[in-house]
Amino acid sequence: MQDNLEFLQWTKRFWDQYYPGGEYDAVARRKGAGAPAAAAPASAPTTSARTSGAGAARRGTTPTTAPTRSTAAVRTGGAASAALTQELNAMKDTVAGLERERDFYFSKLRDIEMLLQQACEADPELEKDENSLIKQVQAILYSTEEGFEIPADDGVADDQETF
């Protein structure tokens, strides 16, 4: 417990000593083009206040990373961001269309399955003939892809879903 406290105290002192103040600008930090270094705000403590062991001037304040960007960074990131947003929206539309198509064909197959079950319930003799049309359609409906295994039912019902 004492080691954790000492580590936290050391981390706090290190932060107070070396944090330059102002907003964090990742592009400028990586020396990327188009983003000038952010100027320290007028209310930032002086170097002597930051290097003092107490750090009283900054005590209790946590810097925030607000989404403030220079206009050059917005222009360069804006075009790429707009293109990616447009591509994302196109993909979302494609996925929505594919889901509607999947649901449409699933409902058709489910309707066929229900008709076959109703026919077998009405006339049990139809199910006994192995070469009947109903048996052939059921074989197609219930066939699986090569390599696909139907999960074994252990008889244990999971009441909780896992994510």
Side-chain angles (χ1 to χ4, degrees):
M1 185 71 161
Q2 183 66 28
D3 292 335
N4 291 338
L5 178 61
E6 289 176 24
F7 177 72
L8 287 173
Q9 288 172 340
W10 177 87
T11 305
K12 172 73 167 95
R13 180 157 189 248
F14 183 85
W15 176 264
D16 289 339
Q17 185 176 1
Y18 293 108
Y19 180 67
E23 297 294 324
Y24 180 73
D25 188 5
V27 175
R29 182 91 171 156
R30 292 188 300 261
K31 300 192 180 17
S43 64
T46 62
T47 307
S48 62
R50 278 189 278 133
T51 56
S52 68
R58 296 180 38 82
R59 189 172 310 267
T61 61
T62 304
T64 59
T65 56
T68 57
R69 294 184 177 185
S70 66
T71 57
V74 170
R75 273 187 261 129
T76 58
S81 177
L84 289 173
T85 302
Q86 185 178 9
E87 185 179 349
L88 178 66
N89 289 336
M91 287 187 177
K92 284 181 180 180
D93 291 342
T94 302
V95 167
L98 289 172
E99 286 176 347
R100 278 193 306 272
E101 186 177 357
R102 178 201 60 197
D103 293 342
F104 172 77
Y105 286 113
F106 178 79
S107 68
K108 294 291 183 187
L109 289 172
R110 183 70 178 135
D111 292 342
I112 292 170
E113 181 184 33
M114 295 301 294
L115 286 173
L116 291 174
Q117 287 176 355
Q118 289 172 359
C120 289
E121 287 174 1
D123 187 9
E125 294 296 321
L126 292 173
E127 204 168 6
K128 292 181 182 176
D129 185 17
E130 292 297 321
N131 293 329
S132 70
L133 179 63
I134 290 181
K135 282 291 188 181
Q136 291 174 356
V137 172
Q138 283 178 339
I140 292 170
L141 282 175
Y142 300 127
S143 66
T144 58
E145 189 175 329
E146 182 68 30
F148 178 76
E149 295 181 16
I150 298 174
D153 187 21
D154 297 337
V156 178
D158 278 329
D159 290 340
Q160 297 180 355
E161 289 185 29
T162 56
F163 297 98

Short mmCIF file of all heavy atoms in Angstrom, two decimals, residues 51-112:
data_model
loop_
_atom_site.label_atom_id
_atom_site.label_comp_id
_atom_site.label_asym_id
_atom_site.label_seq_id
_atom_site.Cartn_x
_atom_site.Cartn_y
_atom_site.Cartn_z
N THR A 51 8.20 23.86 -11.20
CA THR A 51 9.33 23.08 -10.73
C THR A 51 9.41 23.02 -9.22
O THR A 51 10.21 22.28 -8.69
CB THR A 51 10.65 23.65 -11.30
OG1 THR A 51 10.74 25.02 -10.92
CG2 THR A 51 10.70 23.48 -12.79
N SER A 52 8.61 23.79 -8.53
CA SER A 52 8.62 23.71 -7.07
C SER A 52 8.01 22.38 -6.64
O SER A 52 7.16 21.83 -7.31
CB SER A 52 7.85 24.88 -6.46
OG SER A 52 6.48 24.75 -6.74
N GLY A 53 8.48 21.89 -5.53
CA GLY A 53 8.02 20.59 -5.08
C GLY A 53 6.55 20.56 -4.70
O GLY A 53 5.90 19.54 -4.79
N ALA A 54 6.01 21.67 -4.29
CA ALA A 54 4.62 21.69 -3.82
C ALA A 54 3.64 21.58 -4.96
O ALA A 54 2.67 20.84 -4.88
CB ALA A 54 4.36 22.96 -3.03
N GLY A 55 3.86 22.32 -6.03
CA GLY A 55 2.93 22.30 -7.15
C GLY A 55 1.59 22.87 -6.73
O GLY A 55 0.54 22.46 -7.22
N ALA A 56 1.59 23.83 -5.82
CA ALA A 56 0.35 24.34 -5.25
C ALA A 56 -0.49 25.09 -6.26
O ALA A 56 -1.71 25.11 -6.15
CB ALA A 56 0.67 25.24 -4.06
N ALA A 57 0.17 25.73 -7.23
CA ALA A 57 -0.58 26.53 -8.20
C ALA A 57 -1.47 25.65 -9.09
O ALA A 57 -2.48 26.09 -9.59
CB ALA A 57 0.38 27.34 -9.06
N ARG A 58 -1.10 24.39 -9.29
CA ARG A 58 -1.84 23.52 -10.18
C ARG A 58 -2.63 22.45 -9.43
O ARG A 58 -3.26 21.61 -10.04
CB ARG A 58 -0.86 22.84 -11.15
CG ARG A 58 -0.18 23.85 -12.04
CD ARG A 58 0.77 23.19 -12.99
NE ARG A 58 0.33 21.93 -13.53
CZ ARG A 58 -0.50 21.77 -14.57
NH1 ARG A 58 -0.98 22.82 -15.17
NH2 ARG A 58 -0.82 20.57 -15.00
N ARG A 59 -2.57 22.45 -8.16
CA ARG A 59 -3.20 21.40 -7.38
C ARG A 59 -4.71 21.38 -7.63
O ARG A 59 -5.37 22.39 -7.61
CB ARG A 59 -2.94 21.60 -5.90
CG ARG A 59 -3.38 20.45 -5.05
CD ARG A 59 -2.93 20.63 -3.62
NE ARG A 59 -1.51 20.95 -3.52
CZ ARG A 59 -0.56 20.04 -3.34
NH1 ARG A 59 -0.87 18.78 -3.26
NH2 ARG A 59 0.70 20.40 -3.25
N GLY A 60 -5.23 20.17 -7.90
CA GLY A 60 -6.66 20.01 -8.06
C GLY A 60 -7.16 20.28 -9.47
O GLY A 60 -8.34 20.19 -9.71
N THR A 61 -6.30 20.63 -10.40
CA THR A 61 -6.75 20.87 -11.76
C THR A 61 -6.23 19.77 -12.66
O THR A 61 -5.09 19.35 -12.54
CB THR A 61 -6.27 22.23 -12.30
OG1 THR A 61 -4.84 22.23 -12.33
CG2 THR A 61 -6.79 23.37 -11.47
N THR A 62 -7.06 19.32 -13.53
CA THR A 62 -6.68 18.28 -14.49
C THR A 62 -6.86 18.85 -15.88
O THR A 62 -7.92 19.40 -16.19
CB THR A 62 -7.57 17.04 -14.32
OG1 THR A 62 -7.47 16.59 -12.98
CG2 THR A 62 -7.15 15.93 -15.26
N PRO A 63 -5.85 18.76 -16.73
CA PRO A 63 -6.01 19.30 -18.08
C PRO A 63 -7.00 18.46 -18.88
O PRO A 63 -7.13 17.26 -18.68
CB PRO A 63 -4.61 19.21 -18.68
CG PRO A 63 -3.95 18.12 -17.91
CD PRO A 63 -4.54 18.17 -16.52
N THR A 64 -7.70 19.13 -19.74
CA THR A 64 -8.66 18.42 -20.59
C THR A 64 -8.17 18.44 -22.01
O THR A 64 -7.40 19.31 -22.40
CB THR A 64 -10.04 19.10 -20.53
OG1 THR A 64 -9.90 20.44 -20.98
CG2 THR A 64 -10.63 19.06 -19.14
N THR A 65 -8.60 17.48 -22.79
CA THR A 65 -8.24 17.43 -24.20
C THR A 65 -9.47 17.79 -25.01
O THR A 65 -10.13 16.94 -25.58
CB THR A 65 -7.72 16.04 -24.60
OG1 THR A 65 -8.72 15.09 -24.25
CG2 THR A 65 -6.43 15.72 -23.89
N ALA A 66 -9.80 19.06 -24.99
CA ALA A 66 -10.96 19.55 -25.73
C ALA A 66 -10.66 19.50 -27.22
O ALA A 66 -9.50 19.64 -27.63
CB ALA A 66 -11.28 20.97 -25.31
N PRO A 67 -11.67 19.29 -28.05
CA PRO A 67 -11.43 19.16 -29.48
C PRO A 67 -11.20 20.51 -30.17
O PRO A 67 -11.89 20.88 -31.09
CB PRO A 67 -12.70 18.50 -29.98
CG PRO A 67 -13.75 18.92 -29.02
CD PRO A 67 -13.04 19.05 -27.71
N THR A 68 -10.22 21.29 -29.67
CA THR A 68 -9.89 22.54 -30.33
C THR A 68 -8.75 22.28 -31.28
O THR A 68 -7.72 21.74 -30.90
CB THR A 68 -9.49 23.61 -29.30
OG1 THR A 68 -8.39 23.12 -28.55
CG2 THR A 68 -10.63 23.96 -28.37
N ARG A 69 -8.92 22.68 -32.53
CA ARG A 69 -7.89 22.46 -33.55
C ARG A 69 -7.68 23.75 -34.32
O ARG A 69 -8.57 24.59 -34.41
CB ARG A 69 -8.31 21.38 -34.54
CG ARG A 69 -8.42 20.01 -33.91
CD ARG A 69 -8.74 19.02 -34.97
NE ARG A 69 -8.81 17.68 -34.43
CZ ARG A 69 -8.97 16.62 -35.16
NH1 ARG A 69 -9.09 16.71 -36.45
NH2 ARG A 69 -9.00 15.43 -34.61
N SER A 70 -6.52 23.86 -34.89
CA SER A 70 -6.27 25.02 -35.73
C SER A 70 -7.00 24.83 -37.06
O SER A 70 -7.37 23.72 -37.43
CB SER A 70 -4.77 25.19 -35.97
OG SER A 70 -4.29 24.11 -36.74
N THR A 71 -7.18 25.91 -37.80
CA THR A 71 -7.93 25.81 -39.06
C THR A 71 -7.18 24.99 -40.09
O THR A 71 -7.79 24.32 -40.91
CB THR A 71 -8.22 27.22 -39.62
OG1 THR A 71 -6.98 27.92 -39.78
CG2 THR A 71 -9.14 27.98 -38.70
N ALA A 72 -5.85 25.01 -40.06
CA ALA A 72 -5.08 24.21 -41.01
C ALA A 72 -5.29 22.72 -40.74
O ALA A 72 -5.43 21.92 -41.67
CB ALA A 72 -3.59 24.55 -40.92
N ALA A 73 -5.33 22.33 -39.48
CA ALA A 73 -5.55 20.93 -39.14
C ALA A 73 -6.95 20.49 -39.53
O ALA A 73 -7.17 19.37 -39.97
CB ALA A 73 -5.32 20.69 -37.66
N VAL A 74 -7.92 21.40 -39.38
CA VAL A 74 -9.29 21.06 -39.74
C VAL A 74 -9.41 20.90 -41.25
O VAL A 74 -10.08 20.00 -41.74
CB VAL A 74 -10.27 22.15 -39.23
CG1 VAL A 74 -11.65 21.96 -39.78
CG2 VAL A 74 -10.30 22.14 -37.71
N ARG A 75 -8.75 21.76 -42.01
CA ARG A 75 -8.82 21.66 -43.47
C ARG A 75 -8.19 20.36 -43.97
O ARG A 75 -8.74 19.69 -44.81
CB ARG A 75 -8.13 22.87 -44.12
CG ARG A 75 -9.08 24.04 -44.27
CD ARG A 75 -8.41 25.14 -45.06
NE ARG A 75 -7.93 26.11 -44.08
CZ ARG A 75 -6.71 26.60 -44.02
NH1 ARG A 75 -5.82 26.27 -44.92
NH2 ARG A 75 -6.36 27.44 -43.08
N THR A 76 -7.02 19.99 -43.47
CA THR A 76 -6.37 18.78 -43.95
C THR A 76 -7.10 17.54 -43.46
O THR A 76 -7.23 16.58 -44.19
CB THR A 76 -4.90 18.72 -43.49
OG1 THR A 76 -4.85 18.79 -42.07
CG2 THR A 76 -4.10 19.84 -44.12
N GLY A 77 -7.56 17.56 -42.23
CA GLY A 77 -8.29 16.41 -41.70
C GLY A 77 -9.72 16.38 -42.18
O GLY A 77 -10.34 15.33 -42.24
N GLY A 78 -10.27 17.54 -42.54
CA GLY A 78 -11.66 17.61 -42.95
C GLY A 78 -11.93 16.88 -44.25
O GLY A 78 -12.93 16.18 -44.39
N ALA A 79 -11.04 17.02 -45.22
CA ALA A 79 -11.23 16.35 -46.52
C ALA A 79 -11.14 14.84 -46.36
O ALA A 79 -11.97 14.10 -46.89
CB ALA A 79 -10.21 16.86 -47.52
N ALA A 80 -10.15 14.39 -45.62
CA ALA A 80 -10.00 12.95 -45.40
C ALA A 80 -11.15 12.42 -44.56
O ALA A 80 -11.67 11.33 -44.83
CB ALA A 80 -8.66 12.67 -44.71
N SER A 81 -11.54 13.20 -43.57
CA SER A 81 -12.64 12.78 -42.72
C SER A 81 -13.95 12.70 -43.50
O SER A 81 -14.74 11.76 -43.32
CB SER A 81 -12.79 13.75 -41.55
OG SER A 81 -13.88 13.41 -40.75
N ALA A 82 -14.18 13.67 -44.37
CA ALA A 82 -15.40 13.65 -45.17
C ALA A 82 -15.42 12.46 -46.11
O ALA A 82 -16.47 11.82 -46.28
CB ALA A 82 -15.52 14.95 -45.97
N ALA A 83 -14.27 12.14 -46.70
CA ALA A 83 -14.21 10.98 -47.60
C ALA A 83 -14.47 9.69 -46.83
O ALA A 83 -15.19 8.81 -47.31
CB ALA A 83 -12.85 10.93 -48.29
N LEU A 84 -13.88 9.59 -45.65
CA LEU A 84 -14.09 8.38 -44.84
C LEU A 84 -15.53 8.28 -44.35
O LEU A 84 -16.10 7.19 -44.31
CB LEU A 84 -13.13 8.36 -43.66
CG LEU A 84 -11.66 8.10 -44.01
CD1 LEU A 84 -10.79 8.27 -42.77
CD2 LEU A 84 -11.48 6.73 -44.61
N THR A 85 -16.11 9.41 -44.00
CA THR A 85 -17.51 9.42 -43.57
C THR A 85 -18.43 9.00 -44.70
O THR A 85 -19.36 8.22 -44.51
CB THR A 85 -17.91 10.82 -43.05
OG1 THR A 85 -17.03 11.17 -41.99
CG2 THR A 85 -19.33 10.84 -42.57
N GLN A 86 -18.14 9.49 -45.90
CA GLN A 86 -18.94 9.12 -47.06
C GLN A 86 -18.80 7.63 -47.35
O GLN A 86 -19.79 6.94 -47.63
CB GLN A 86 -18.50 9.94 -48.28
CG GLN A 86 -19.34 9.71 -49.50
CD GLN A 86 -18.88 10.58 -50.67
OE1 GLN A 86 -17.84 11.22 -50.61
NE2 GLN A 86 -19.67 10.59 -51.72
N GLU A 87 -17.58 7.11 -47.25
CA GLU A 87 -17.36 5.68 -47.47
C GLU A 87 -18.06 4.84 -46.41
O GLU A 87 -18.66 3.81 -46.72
CB GLU A 87 -15.85 5.38 -47.47
CG GLU A 87 -15.51 3.95 -47.80
CD GLU A 87 -14.01 3.70 -47.80
OE1 GLU A 87 -13.23 4.67 -47.76
OE2 GLU A 87 -13.64 2.52 -47.85
N LEU A 88 -18.01 5.31 -45.17
CA LEU A 88 -18.68 4.60 -44.08
C LEU A 88 -20.19 4.56 -44.30
O LEU A 88 -20.83 3.52 -44.12
CB LEU A 88 -18.36 5.26 -42.74
CG LEU A 88 -19.03 4.68 -41.52
CD1 LEU A 88 -18.53 3.26 -41.26
CD2 LEU A 88 -18.79 5.55 -40.32
N ASN A 89 -20.77 5.69 -44.71
CA ASN A 89 -22.21 5.74 -44.97
C ASN A 89 -22.60 4.83 -46.13
O ASN A 89 -23.64 4.17 -46.08
CB ASN A 89 -22.66 7.17 -45.23
CG ASN A 89 -22.62 8.01 -43.98
OD1 ASN A 89 -22.70 7.50 -42.88
ND2 ASN A 89 -22.48 9.31 -44.15
N ALA A 90 -21.75 4.77 -47.16
CA ALA A 90 -22.02 3.87 -48.29
C ALA A 90 -21.99 2.42 -47.83
O ALA A 90 -22.84 1.61 -48.24
CB ALA A 90 -21.01 4.11 -49.41
N MET A 91 -21.04 2.08 -46.97
CA MET A 91 -20.96 0.70 -46.47
C MET A 91 -22.13 0.37 -45.57
O MET A 91 -22.64 -0.74 -45.60
CB MET A 91 -19.64 0.49 -45.74
CG MET A 91 -18.47 0.41 -46.66
SD MET A 91 -17.00 -0.05 -45.75
CE MET A 91 -15.83 -0.16 -47.08
N LYS A 92 -22.58 1.35 -44.76
CA LYS A 92 -23.75 1.11 -43.92
C LYS A 92 -24.99 0.86 -44.77
O LYS A 92 -25.80 -0.01 -44.45
CB LYS A 92 -24.00 2.32 -43.00
CG LYS A 92 -23.05 2.39 -41.83
CD LYS A 92 -23.37 3.59 -40.96
CE LYS A 92 -22.42 3.68 -39.79
NZ LYS A 92 -22.73 4.85 -38.94
N ASP A 93 -25.13 1.62 -45.87
CA ASP A 93 -26.26 1.41 -46.78
C ASP A 93 -26.18 0.03 -47.42
O ASP A 93 -27.20 -0.66 -47.56
CB ASP A 93 -26.29 2.49 -47.86
CG ASP A 93 -26.66 3.85 -47.30
OD1 ASP A 93 -27.21 3.91 -46.18
OD2 ASP A 93 -26.37 4.86 -47.99
N THR A 94 -24.97 -0.40 -47.81
CA THR A 94 -24.79 -1.72 -48.41
C THR A 94 -25.16 -2.81 -47.42
O THR A 94 -25.85 -3.77 -47.77
CB THR A 94 -23.33 -1.89 -48.87
OG1 THR A 94 -23.01 -0.86 -49.80
CG2 THR A 94 -23.11 -3.24 -49.52
N VAL A 95 -24.71 -2.68 -46.19
CA VAL A 95 -25.02 -3.67 -45.15
C VAL A 95 -26.52 -3.72 -44.89
O VAL A 95 -27.11 -4.81 -44.77
CB VAL A 95 -24.24 -3.37 -43.86
CG1 VAL A 95 -24.76 -4.18 -42.68
CG2 VAL A 95 -22.76 -3.65 -44.06
N ALA A 96 -27.16 -2.56 -44.83
CA ALA A 96 -28.61 -2.53 -44.61
C ALA A 96 -29.34 -3.22 -45.75
O ALA A 96 -30.29 -3.98 -45.53
CB ALA A 96 -29.09 -1.09 -44.46
N GLY A 97 -28.91 -2.98 -47.00
CA GLY A 97 -29.53 -3.65 -48.15
C GLY A 97 -29.33 -5.15 -48.10
O GLY A 97 -30.25 -5.92 -48.40
N LEU A 98 -28.12 -5.58 -47.75
CA LEU A 98 -27.85 -7.02 -47.65
C LEU A 98 -28.66 -7.66 -46.53
O LEU A 98 -29.14 -8.80 -46.68
CB LEU A 98 -26.36 -7.26 -47.43
CG LEU A 98 -25.46 -6.98 -48.62
CD1 LEU A 98 -23.99 -7.06 -48.22
CD2 LEU A 98 -25.76 -7.93 -49.77
N GLU A 99 -28.84 -6.96 -45.43
CA GLU A 99 -29.65 -7.51 -44.34
C GLU A 99 -31.12 -7.64 -44.75
O GLU A 99 -31.77 -8.62 -44.42
CB GLU A 99 -29.52 -6.64 -43.09
CG GLU A 99 -28.19 -6.80 -42.40
CD GLU A 99 -28.01 -5.86 -41.22
OE1 GLU A 99 -28.81 -4.90 -41.08
OE2 GLU A 99 -27.07 -6.08 -40.45
N ARG A 100 -31.64 -6.65 -45.48
CA ARG A 100 -33.02 -6.73 -45.97
C ARG A 100 -33.17 -7.91 -46.94
O ARG A 100 -34.15 -8.66 -46.87
CB ARG A 100 -33.42 -5.43 -46.68
CG ARG A 100 -33.86 -4.34 -45.75
CD ARG A 100 -34.53 -3.20 -46.50
NE ARG A 100 -33.75 -2.66 -47.59
CZ ARG A 100 -32.85 -1.69 -47.49
NH1 ARG A 100 -32.63 -1.13 -46.32
NH2 ARG A 100 -32.18 -1.27 -48.54
N GLU A 101 -32.19 -8.09 -47.82
CA GLU A 101 -32.24 -9.20 -48.78
C GLU A 101 -32.17 -10.54 -48.05
O GLU A 101 -32.91 -11.47 -48.37
CB GLU A 101 -31.09 -9.07 -49.77
CG GLU A 101 -31.12 -10.08 -50.88
CD GLU A 101 -30.00 -9.86 -51.89
OE1 GLU A 101 -29.23 -8.90 -51.76
OE2 GLU A 101 -29.90 -10.68 -52.81
N ARG A 102 -31.29 -10.63 -47.06
CA ARG A 102 -31.17 -11.86 -46.27
C ARG A 102 -32.49 -12.18 -45.58
O ARG A 102 -32.96 -13.32 -45.61
CB ARG A 102 -30.06 -11.70 -45.23
CG ARG A 102 -29.90 -12.92 -44.32
CD ARG A 102 -29.21 -12.59 -43.04
NE ARG A 102 -29.95 -11.60 -42.29
CZ ARG A 102 -29.45 -10.89 -41.30
NH1 ARG A 102 -28.20 -11.02 -40.96
NH2 ARG A 102 -30.20 -10.02 -40.65
N ASP A 103 -33.08 -11.18 -44.95
CA ASP A 103 -34.35 -11.39 -44.25
C ASP A 103 -35.47 -11.78 -45.21
O ASP A 103 -36.31 -12.62 -44.88
CB ASP A 103 -34.74 -10.14 -43.48
CG ASP A 103 -33.79 -9.85 -42.32
OD1 ASP A 103 -33.05 -10.77 -41.91
OD2 ASP A 103 -33.78 -8.69 -41.85
N PHE A 104 -35.46 -11.21 -46.41
CA PHE A 104 -36.47 -11.54 -47.42
C PHE A 104 -36.38 -13.01 -47.80
O PHE A 104 -37.38 -13.74 -47.78
CB PHE A 104 -36.28 -10.65 -48.65
CG PHE A 104 -37.14 -11.03 -49.82
CD1 PHE A 104 -38.49 -10.70 -49.85
CD2 PHE A 104 -36.61 -11.74 -50.89
CE1 PHE A 104 -39.29 -11.04 -50.92
CE2 PHE A 104 -37.40 -12.10 -51.97
CZ PHE A 104 -38.74 -11.75 -51.99
N TYR A 105 -35.17 -13.47 -48.14
CA TYR A 105 -35.03 -14.86 -48.56
C TYR A 105 -35.22 -15.82 -47.39
O TYR A 105 -35.73 -16.93 -47.58
CB TYR A 105 -33.67 -15.08 -49.24
CG TYR A 105 -33.66 -14.48 -50.62
CD1 TYR A 105 -32.85 -13.40 -50.92
CD2 TYR A 105 -34.48 -14.98 -51.63
CE1 TYR A 105 -32.86 -12.84 -52.18
CE2 TYR A 105 -34.48 -14.42 -52.89
CZ TYR A 105 -33.67 -13.35 -53.17
OH TYR A 105 -33.68 -12.81 -54.41
N PHE A 106 -34.85 -15.43 -46.20
CA PHE A 106 -35.09 -16.27 -45.04
C PHE A 106 -36.59 -16.46 -44.82
O PHE A 106 -37.05 -17.57 -44.53
CB PHE A 106 -34.44 -15.69 -43.78
CG PHE A 106 -34.71 -16.50 -42.55
CD1 PHE A 106 -33.98 -17.66 -42.30
CD2 PHE A 106 -35.69 -16.13 -41.64
CE1 PHE A 106 -34.23 -18.43 -41.18
CE2 PHE A 106 -35.94 -16.89 -40.52
CZ PHE A 106 -35.21 -18.04 -40.28
N SER A 107 -37.35 -15.37 -44.96
CA SER A 107 -38.80 -15.49 -44.76
C SER A 107 -39.42 -16.38 -45.84
O SER A 107 -40.36 -17.12 -45.56
CB SER A 107 -39.46 -14.12 -44.74
OG SER A 107 -39.39 -13.51 -46.02
N LYS A 108 -38.89 -16.32 -47.07
CA LYS A 108 -39.39 -17.21 -48.13
C LYS A 108 -39.12 -18.67 -47.77
O LYS A 108 -40.00 -19.53 -47.91
CB LYS A 108 -38.73 -16.89 -49.47
CG LYS A 108 -39.08 -15.54 -50.03
CD LYS A 108 -40.52 -15.51 -50.44
CE LYS A 108 -40.85 -14.17 -51.06
NZ LYS A 108 -42.25 -14.01 -51.34
N LEU A 109 -37.91 -18.96 -47.32
CA LEU A 109 -37.58 -20.34 -46.94
C LEU A 109 -38.41 -20.79 -45.73
O LEU A 109 -38.84 -21.95 -45.67
CB LEU A 109 -36.09 -20.45 -46.62
CG LEU A 109 -35.15 -20.35 -47.82
CD1 LEU A 109 -33.70 -20.28 -47.36
CD2 LEU A 109 -35.36 -21.52 -48.77
N ARG A 110 -38.63 -19.90 -44.82
CA ARG A 110 -39.45 -20.24 -43.64
C ARG A 110 -40.89 -20.54 -44.06
O ARG A 110 -41.51 -21.47 -43.54
CB ARG A 110 -39.41 -19.08 -42.65
CG ARG A 110 -40.16 -19.35 -41.38
CD ARG A 110 -39.46 -20.39 -40.53
NE ARG A 110 -40.22 -20.56 -39.30
CZ ARG A 110 -40.52 -21.73 -38.77
NH1 ARG A 110 -40.08 -22.83 -39.33
NH2 ARG A 110 -41.23 -21.80 -37.69
N ASP A 111 -41.43 -19.76 -45.03
CA ASP A 111 -42.78 -20.03 -45.53
C ASP A 111 -42.87 -21.40 -46.19
O ASP A 111 -43.84 -22.14 -45.99
CB ASP A 111 -43.21 -18.94 -46.52
CG ASP A 111 -43.43 -17.60 -45.85
OD1 ASP A 111 -43.58 -17.56 -44.60
OD2 ASP A 111 -43.43 -16.58 -46.57
N ILE A 112 -41.84 -21.74 -46.97
CA ILE A 112 -41.82 -23.06 -47.62
C ILE A 112 -41.76 -24.17 -46.57
O ILE A 112 -42.47 -25.17 -46.67
CB ILE A 112 -40.62 -23.17 -48.59
CG1 ILE A 112 -40.84 -22.22 -49.78
CG2 ILE A 112 -40.42 -24.60 -49.08
CD1 ILE A 112 -39.62 -22.06 -50.66
#
